[in-house]
Amino acid sequence: MEELFWNEYEQIFNWEKAIKNFMGENSVSIMTIHKSKGLEYEAIYFIGLEDSAFWTFRNQPEEDRRAFFVAISRAKEFLTFTFCKHRSGTRFPNQSHKNINEFF
């Protein structure tokens, strides 16, 4: 941790800015649904709301509904979802949201 902090300082030579940067001030947090539990943000962007993101939905719909609620309840003011119809370079490139359509 100490080395990371010094690296931050050496890039900008300003202690106040180095501390703010190191603490993550004015940065975007990228996390999983489970990591977001208990936190709140002005805006939440849910990236990739597709069946493949909730591949266990058919087997455990209640648990996945609870996880989804955790994600959407983190937003104080803005909530945005994204969906991708095609993801190249994956085993199943065509995406859908048929199984989790209730989330939409």
Side-chain angles (χ1 to χ4, degrees):
M1 296 291 278
E2 186 178 320
E3 184 179 340
L4 292 173
F5 177 72
W6 281 111
N7 288 341
E8 185 67 38
Y9 172 74
E10 288 174 350
Q11 290 179 22
I12 57 175
F13 297 106
N14 180 310
W15 285 112
E16 187 176 338
K17 285 183 180 179
I19 291 169
K20 287 181 179 182
N21 289 347
F22 192 73
M23 298 299 291
E25 224 173 272
N26 300 315
S27 63
V28 175
S29 297
I30 299 173
M31 62 187 69
T32 65
I33 290 172
H34 302 290
K35 183 72 173 175
S36 71
K37 191 171 183 179
L39 303 173
E40 284 187 327
Y41 298 94
E42 290 299 315
I44 297 293
Y45 296 89
F46 199 111
I47 309 298
L49 186 56
E50 301 141 11
D51 286 340
S52 61
F54 287 90
W55 54 272
T56 59
F57 188 76
R58 287 186 178 175
N59 298 330
Q60 57 180 35
E62 291 305 315
E63 187 171 331
D64 284 351
R65 283 184 190 106
R66 286 190 292 272
F68 183 71
F69 179 77
V70 166
I72 64 172
S73 64
R74 304 302 93 203
K76 290 182 185 179
E77 194 163 335
F78 301 100
L79 179 63
T80 303
F81 302 117
T82 67
F83 170 79
C84 184
K85 288 183 179 181
H86 185 84
R87 291 192 183 275
S88 51
T90 63
R91 185 174 173 194
F92 302 106
N94 295 324
Q95 300 293 310
S96 70
H97 56 79
K98 293 175 188 168
N99 296 334
I100 62 168
N101 200 45
E102 67 186 72
F103 293 169
F104 285 85

